[in-house]
Amino acid sequence: MKEFVQYMPTKVVFGRNTENETGRLVKERGASRVLIVYGGGSAVKSGLLSRVEESLREEGIVYEELSGVRPNPRLSLAREGVKKALAFGAELILAVGGGSAIDTAKAAALGAANPGTDIWEFWMGRAQTEKALPVGAVLTIPAAGSEMSDSAVLTDEETKKKAGYNSDIVRPGFAVLNPELTRTLPKYQLACGIVDILMHTLERYFTPVKGNELTDELAEGLMRTVIRNGKKAYENQKDYDAMSELMWCGSLSHNGLTGLGRPKDFACHKLGHELSGRFDEVHGATLSAVWGSWAKYVHRLDLDRFARFGKQVWNIESEDKEEAALASIEQTESFFRSLHMPVCLGDLSMGVQTDEVLRSLAEAATKGDTVRLGCFKKLTAQDAYEIYQAANHR
Ligand code: NZQ
Ligand code: ZN
């Protein structure tokens, strides 16, 4: 087991009607002025936003709003959030929505605490800080795990670069999880979320560091739970118990728990971000579109690991390790297909691409072959190209 630091500062308030506790949670953190960040209107339409506002008013908390966050949230709107937070004197940024709203809230929290620095400097690693306003989240979709994570992902719409910022200072102080809020989710978004949850643990499971028994068991248990309840929730979004399991898996899959004691890989996330940045593809869909090609490309490096994944997660019993490894990849892809998720680039809206485009995606993902992606196999630009190429079909 490698050395690690465990820091999970998020107070989770889970269950029916918990959004009505938002005001109390904000007050508990000593804030009385809040910037609420939300997306394209689902929270307005469902009445959630009104309930959250009401709960703030009950505690005497005043608020301003930033709306219009889109999936693959844009840098320009995050900059607007910084300006609004500063002008209003916000003491806490409250996201109502999914990963995109939460990440925009995190960006506004960083920018407002560091008014002299353009936020993209932090994303590009050219500036560092230990300061951010507190963030809280009312989650409406089990997916990105941003409600407990140390990460915020933005897209610079001018350069089409999608990049993440990672620091414990942006971990939300509280997260409100009411599974009933997910009932209005479009099926496609739900499926993308299920893929993302599974991938956050998969990309922590396939790493070169061995001998983490507890972390392995936690990861395998989480993956089995996501698969079992993901299927049920996809079939019936009103299945409260299934949605509860899924929502809790979403938070734990990306708060660090299932990767303690080993480095995370996240190569498929990097390959996927390139597709989201360039073609505005939905995050979860980019992951299922490349994972199988990645897995087939790297599986021989550690057949035991893939065979163990097959046995523990998919009940695959085979003496032949290679056969077991390939069966585990096939099972995972057929799970994606059962959710109508893409398993190749041709299934995405970008469609099949020319060789030139694939090369340029691989170059961009590896910053001109200067950085390696992941750690299970440290992917070069050539590796990334070959994986994109293997996924480039219909
Ligand atoms: O904008 P609204 O109208 O709310 O609609 C949203 C949006 O269109 C809709 N939606 C969400 N909850 C709903 C709902 N519609 C009806 N009823 C509800 N209850 O779903 C769409 C997607 O929302 P979004 O916030 O984009 O989803 P998600 O949580 O999947 O977030 C994706 C973003 O998070 C990033 C992704 O790259 C992507 O940009 N990630 C963030 C991470 C992090 N910060 O830790 C880690 C992840 O790996 C990921 O990269
Ligand atoms: Zn993700």
Side-chain angles (χ1 to χ4, degrees):
M1 194 182 289
K2 265 175 66 93
E3 60 284 0
F4 66 82
V5 174
Q6 184 212 27
Y7 181 62
M8 297 171 188
T10 311
K11 177 170 182 172
V12 175
V13 180
F14 185 97
R16 291 186 170 98
N17 303 320
T18 43
E19 64 274 20
N20 299 330
E21 294 182 38
T22 311
R24 187 180 59 73
L25 289 162
V26 169
K27 200 167 178 190
E28 211 174 76
R29 303 195 64 77
S32 57
R33 302 180 73 79
V34 166
L35 177 71
I36 306 176
V37 178
Y38 62 94
S42 76
V44 178
K45 218 162 125 194
S46 66
L48 170 64
L49 191 68
S50 309
R51 296 201 296 283
V52 169
E53 290 167 346
E54 172 68 27
S55 114
L56 293 176
R57 283 196 299 271
E58 275 170 11
E59 298 292 342
I61 292 156
V62 291
Y63 50 84
E64 172 67 80
E65 290 177 358
L66 177 80
S67 63
V69 177
R70 295 167 53 182
N72 294 322
R74 309 301 201 260
L75 171 62
S76 57
L77 191 78
R79 284 184 176 134
E80 207 181 307
V82 175
K83 277 193 206 144
K84 270 203 168 169
L86 285 170
F88 181 62
E91 295 161 346
L92 183 144
I93 315 291
L94 176 67
V96 178
S100 297
I102 303 172
D103 289 359
T104 304
K106 288 176 175 178
L110 261 181
N114 300 278
T117 312
D118 174 50
I119 48 172
W120 199 237
E121 295 298 299
F122 299 122
W123 264 253
M124 292 296 100
R126 294 188 291 252
Q128 273 74 41
T129 181
E130 292 303 317
K131 286 185 295 181
L133 293 187
V135 173
V138 178
L139 187 67
T140 61
I141 169 171
S146 184
E147 66 279 8
M148 286 184 92
S149 83
D150 68 348
S151 156
V153 188
L154 290 180
T155 299
D156 177 356
E157 55 271 59
E158 278 172 24
T159 58
K160 297 196 182 296
K161 180 82 201 148
K162 180 170 179 173
Y165 169 82
N166 289 76
S167 166
D168 279 335
I169 62 170
V170 296
R171 285 190 197 264
F174 67 83
V176 170
L177 271 57
N178 173 359
E180 287 187 336
L181 300 179
T182 64
R183 288 188 174 177
T184 49
L185 264 177
K187 269 247 181 299
Y188 177 68
Q189 291 296 343
L190 176 61
C192 287
I194 296 167
V195 170
D196 198 17
I197 296 171
L198 185 64
M199 286 295 297
H200 289 158
T201 289
L202 266 181
E203 296 230 81
R204 287 176 165 90
Y205 188 77
F206 289 103
T207 84
V209 174
K210 303 270 181 8
N212 284 280
E213 282 183 37
L214 178 59
T215 301
D216 276 347
E217 299 273 354
L218 287 169
E220 289 156 357
L222 188 141
M223 290 191 279
R224 287 194 300 268
T225 310
V226 172
I227 293 162
R228 201 164 48 239
N229 291 285
K231 282 180 191 162
K232 288 187 195 164
Y234 186 72
E235 263 172 32
N236 175 14
Q237 282 181 230
K238 291 190 181 147
D239 184 335
Y240 183 81
D241 292 333
M243 202 58 95
S244 298
E245 297 292 343
L246 191 63
M247 208 168 202
W248 188 218
C249 281
S251 299
L252 295 190
S253 195
H254 198 40
N255 75 350
L257 181 69
T258 59
L260 289 177
R262 55 184 176 226
K264 61 181 187 197
D265 183 81
F266 270 57
C268 291
H269 266 72
K270 301 271 165 49
L271 295 172
H273 283 346
E274 227 31 69
L275 307 180
S276 290
R278 185 92 58 108
F279 302 101
D280 203 17
E281 298 288 353
V282 179
H283 176 60
T286 66
L287 301 176
S288 60
V290 298
W291 185 79
S293 298
W294 171 85
K296 284 172 210 150
Y297 191 73
V298 302
H299 74 283
R300 284 200 188 89
L301 287 177
D302 194 345
L303 285 177
D304 286 339
R305 191 69 176 160
F306 273 90
R308 177 179 165 139
F309 167 62
K311 185 165 190 302
Q312 300 295 334
V313 176
W314 293 113
N315 276 322
I316 293 164
E317 299 279 356
S318 170
E319 291 301 310
D320 183 330
K321 295 266 164 66
E322 168 109 37
E323 196 179 282
L326 289 172
S328 76
I329 298 169
E330 180 46 42
Q331 281 284 334
T332 309
E333 288 199 307
S334 75
F335 173 62
F336 294 154
R337 280 193 212 96
S338 75
L339 302 172
H340 302 101
M341 281 286 100
V343 292
C344 55
L345 302 189
D347 286 346
L348 289 166
S349 54
M350 63 187 269
V352 172
Q353 294 293 319
T354 63
D355 221 44
E356 200 187 340
V357 171
L358 300 183
R359 285 258 178 226
S360 79
L361 287 166
E363 284 294 315
T366 57
K367 299 199 170 91
D369 206 20
T370 62
V371 296
R372 299 287 171 259
L373 308 181
C375 58
F376 187 76
K377 175 170 174 52
K378 294 181 175 162
L379 305 179
T380 61
Q382 180 64 25
D383 295 323
Y385 163 72
E386 287 183 36
I387 292 166
Y388 281 136
Q389 200 182 38
N392 195 34
H393 57 85
R394 203 169 274 285

